[in-house]
Amino acid sequence: MHAQDYMQVLRGRWKTIFLVFLLVFVSSAVITKMMTPKYTSGMTFEIKYPRDLINVAVGGEANPIEKAVVSDAYMQTQFEILVSQQNLIAVANKLDLTNEWGLDEATAAMRLMQLVEVNPRKNTNLVDIAVKTEDPRMSQQVCQAVVDCYKEIREEKENAIINEAINKRYEVLRSRQDELERKADVVRQYIRSGKYIQGMWNDYASHGAPLSSGAEEQTLQQLNNSKLQMEAEIAQMSVHIGKLQNLKDAELQSYVTRTGLLTAESYCSAKVRELNNRYTEEENTRAQMLLSGYGQKHPNVLRLDEQHKATQLQLYEELVGMRDSMMDQLEVKKAELQDLEQRYNTAKEKLRDKTLEDQKVKNALQEYAAEKTRYDKLENDYIADKMRLMAPRTSLEVYSQPGLASAPSSPNYRLNLIVGAVMGLMLGVVVAFIGNYFDTSIKSLEDAEQMLGLPVLGVIPQDAGLLILQGGDSPDAEAYRILRTNIELKREMSRAITLAVVSANAGEGKTTTLSNLAYVFAQAGYSTLMIDADLRRPRLARYAELKSESGLSTYLANGAELKDVVLQTGHANLYMLPSGPIPVDPSGLIGSRRMQQLLNDVSKRFDIVLIDSPPILGVSDASLLVSRADASLLVLQPRKMPIKALLRSKSLIQSAGGNIMGLVMNNVDITGDTQYQYYTTYYSYYSKGDKRIEPKPVAVKEKAETVIENSDNDDLY
């Protein structure tokens, strides 16, 4: 469905929408009027967080109490406590509502819960409380009592928590005092031994320094440092000696010079350094002489070479002596290391004994200090808790007091009526769409052609009148002219003269459609005959305002002449064969051979013959008529008959051998149904406006004249 389809549903079912809207609106107005007026009193206040609350802990005497932790849901919990049963029972007792209402405490609290409304303000600790009752003074008193009772209960609980914590802290304080004295006696015993001084309590407490002088530890540290240093020297000497043993002459000199042994006072003698310096100077002097122009064979150069060689030999001898001296020093160092290790082990054992003794004293002091700290904290907390209990506590702060309502707050007549109107409109729309969903009738021209598989030959506007009475210049007449044109086009192909106008059920406008269609055919110059073949509930003659005691039943049953039963109306070219007296067996007459003879006869005498039949679903007469007529027109109204009934009608016509020329959509609301506006634009185009001259209806004939008296029309028979 498109948006236009939804709008079409609303327009087509506006009466349903209006009725539902009116029902809901009136119901809301009546219910609102019957409601008892109620008065509301309210106040605004801020709930404070608890200040330094403490609770008895579950950790035993090591942690007897702890500070109460305020959870994130604290405020939400307080909002719920305001309307809790405990608080409302207190309100009921305070205002003596149990006696006034004649209820027990629990029932009175349940009733108060229905009267009290708590509305916390978002992102704040403010809360609005409102009480609505039938008595304005009662609303004011209950509103104030709810806040007062909440404040009293909360302060009572908080003070009870502090009292419990204070009593528990005092018990623990007494027990810890005895434990502190016991630990102090242990420390005093070490002081009496003479190994420790009286002021060690204060020194340890303030500085955390070791209890003894620490001389043993210093000695052990010095011995350890000397041992490590000597071990490093022995390791270094061992490495050098291992290298020097495999080197000779120049290699030995190179190693000593490269490793820095010449500069070490403990390894190298002054004689070695002196020879090494002389050796270096002689090499430098010879190099300068060669640079100055002296040759290799110059006497001075040769003399210097002899001297340099002698210096080299002496240096090599001294280096070998230095190596031997280092080996002697290594043995001495090893002996000294053994002695140093013995002294280190002795000092280590002495320090271990001293450390164990000091650790005992240290542990005793630590236990005493920890117990003293715990005791001091408990004592300070005990004093602080007693002061906290005596200090005033602010659990809430009121910003607006409850007032005495002068006018009722409910019911809100305007709001209720607006809500009723909106709900009625919405419910009406829902009912309209539900009704449309379950409505299986044909609603539009496209639905008719698609579901029935038949063309729509004409669309007749709603409330179209009788053209016989109104005249041919009525705007409604153009719809029938369109129908006439479409029938003419169909007749050219099928050569049909007798047309049976049928409908699925009564009330579809079949007789009116036939009467008006016959009128426009006659107006176009066709000799037109209307046959009222509905022998059960005839109406065609009454529509044409004709009276006759004879008709179709007379012709079929009594053998009357055709010229005796065919009447001429007050309009040119328009004739009628009324139904006549209602017979006992209508279907027997319709199915007789004389009926077939009648249709054959009038087909030769008239240009067009329109036959009004009973409903196709009601009786068998219609099936007999459509089987004898050249073609049939099926008249239907939108939104009236279910599609299954229309399909059944089509099936009956076709089963009887009838030829359905097409459909006629009758009684269509073209002003409110946009689906037909494009098809019926002529309606406004042919309207004459204020200057339109309405034709006068033809006078009713008291006694119908037969056509046989008019000699000019004898050729019709």
Side-chain angles (χ1 to χ4, degrees), residues 3 16 38 63 101 104 137 204 282 360 411 430 441 453 465 474 517-518 547 550 561 607 637 657 674 689 699 702:
T16 301
K38 292 186 178 181
N63 184 23
W101 291 345
D104 55 60
R137 188 167 299 279
Y204 181 77
E282 289 174 354
K360 294 179 180 179
V430 171
S441 64
S474 171
L517 182 59
K547 293 182 179 180
S550 61
E561 295 292 334
D607 296 330
Q637 284 192 24
T674 57
E702 295 297 334

Side-chain angles (χ1 to χ4, degrees), residues 375-389:
Y375 178 82
D376 292 342
K377 184 178 183 304
L378 287 173
E379 186 177 26
N380 294 333
D381 291 343
Y382 174 74
I383 297 172
D385 291 342
K386 294 189 68 175
M387 296 178 62
R388 188 182 297 110
L389 182 62

Side-chain angles (χ1 to χ4, degrees), residues 252-370:
L252 181 62
Q253 179 187 2
S254 174
Y255 179 83
V256 171
T257 304
R258 187 175 66 256
T259 57
L261 292 177
L262 290 174
T263 59
E265 295 291 340
S266 58
Y267 300 146
C268 182
S269 63
K271 183 66 174 177
V272 174
R273 282 193 291 272
E274 178 184 356
L275 290 173
N276 184 69
N277 292 336
R278 184 190 307 169
Y279 180 81
T280 303
E281 290 176 358
E282 289 174 354
E283 282 187 343
N284 293 335
T285 301
R286 186 177 184 278
Q288 290 178 359
M289 290 175 66
L290 293 175
L291 291 174
S292 300
Y294 289 93
Q296 295 286 343
K297 302 297 184 179
H298 193 277
N300 291 337
V301 176
L302 293 175
R303 190 183 308 112
L304 183 61
D305 289 341
E306 290 293 334
Q307 183 180 350
H308 183 62
K309 185 175 182 180
T311 302
Q312 185 180 34
L313 292 175
Q314 292 181 4
L315 178 60
Y316 290 163
E317 291 177 358
E318 290 296 331
L319 287 174
V320 172
M322 186 184 80
R323 181 179 61 189
D324 296 338
S325 176
M326 289 178 64
M327 295 177 64
D328 295 337
Q329 291 180 14
L330 179 61
E331 295 298 329
V332 174
K333 290 285 185 181
K334 289 181 178 180
E336 292 178 355
L337 179 61
Q338 291 179 357
D339 180 64
L340 191 60
E341 286 179 347
Q342 292 179 358
R343 290 166 55 195
Y344 174 79
N345 292 332
T346 302
K348 186 176 180 181
E349 292 293 333
K350 185 177 181 180
L351 179 61
R352 182 183 297 110
D353 296 339
K354 181 64 176 175
T355 301
L356 292 175
E357 186 70 19
D358 288 348
Q359 187 64 40
K360 294 179 180 179
V361 179
K362 186 176 181 180
N363 292 340
L365 277 173
Q366 287 178 343
E367 292 178 0
Y368 172 78

Side-chain angles (χ1 to χ4, degrees), residues 137-355:
R137 188 167 299 279
M138 174 67 70
S139 300
Q140 183 185 28
Q141 293 175 352
V142 172
C143 187
Q144 184 66 52
V146 169
V147 178
D148 293 342
C149 292
Y150 164 77
K151 182 179 179 182
E152 294 171 1
I153 293 175
R154 175 175 165 181
E155 292 178 355
E156 181 181 353
K157 288 183 178 180
E158 293 178 359
N159 290 336
I161 292 173
I162 296 177
N163 273 325
E164 183 183 3
I166 289 175
N167 295 333
K168 183 65 177 178
R169 197 186 299 277
Y170 181 73
E171 295 176 3
V172 176
L173 185 65
R174 292 292 301 271
S175 63
R176 302 318 302 179
Q177 187 177 10
D178 297 338
E179 183 68 18
L180 180 64
E181 188 64 25
R182 187 184 65 80
K183 294 183 182 298
D185 289 340
V186 175
V187 178
R188 292 191 189 99
Q189 291 178 3
Y190 287 109
I191 295 175
R192 294 190 191 102
S193 64
K195 297 180 181 180
Y196 301 95
I197 60 176
Q198 175 69 29
M200 65 181 179
W201 283 351
N202 296 332
D203 292 340
Y204 181 77
S206 59
H207 304 291
L211 300 175
S212 61
S213 61
E216 293 82 356
E217 185 176 357
Q218 292 179 2
T219 301
L220 181 64
Q221 185 65 33
Q222 291 175 357
L223 291 174
N224 184 53
N225 293 338
S226 299
K227 183 171 73 68
L228 294 176
Q229 182 178 1
M230 186 168 293
E231 288 176 349
E233 291 178 358
I234 291 174
Q236 186 177 13
M237 289 179 65
S238 299
V239 172
H240 288 317
I241 292 173
K243 295 288 186 180
L244 292 173
Q245 285 179 350
N246 299 324
L247 301 178
K248 294 181 179 181
D249 298 340
E251 294 178 351
L252 181 62
Q253 179 187 2
S254 174
Y255 179 83
V256 171
T257 304
R258 187 175 66 256
T259 57
L261 292 177
L262 290 174
T263 59
E265 295 291 340
S266 58
Y267 300 146
C268 182
S269 63
K271 183 66 174 177
V272 174
R273 282 193 291 272
E274 178 184 356
L275 290 173
N276 184 69
N277 292 336
R278 184 190 307 169
Y279 180 81
T280 303
E281 290 176 358
E282 289 174 354
E283 282 187 343
N284 293 335
T285 301
R286 186 177 184 278
Q288 290 178 359
M289 290 175 66
L290 293 175
L291 291 174
S292 300
Y294 289 93
Q296 295 286 343
K297 302 297 184 179
H298 193 277
N300 291 337
V301 176
L302 293 175
R303 190 183 308 112
L304 183 61
D305 289 341
E306 290 293 334
Q307 183 180 350
H308 183 62
K309 185 175 182 180
T311 302
Q312 185 180 34
L313 292 175
Q314 292 181 4
L315 178 60
Y316 290 163
E317 291 177 358
E318 290 296 331
L319 287 174
V320 172
M322 186 184 80
R323 181 179 61 189
D324 296 338
S325 176
M326 289 178 64
M327 295 177 64
D328 295 337
Q329 291 180 14
L330 179 61
E331 295 298 329
V332 174
K333 290 285 185 181
K334 289 181 178 180
E336 292 178 355
L337 179 61
Q338 291 179 357
D339 180 64
L340 191 60
E341 286 179 347
Q342 292 179 358
R343 290 166 55 195
Y344 174 79
N345 292 332
T346 302
K348 186 176 180 181
E349 292 293 333
K350 185 177 181 180
L351 179 61
R352 182 183 297 110
D353 296 339
K354 181 64 176 175
T355 301

Side-chain angles (χ1 to χ4, degrees), residues 9 96 98 169 239 360-361 363 406 455 458 484 533 549 576 592 608 619 700 704:
V9 173
D96 198 22
T98 54
R169 197 186 299 277
V239 172
K360 294 179 180 179
V361 179
N363 292 340
S406 59
R484 181 193 66 194
E549 297 179 356
M576 176 182 290
S592 64
I608 184 74
V619 292
V700 178

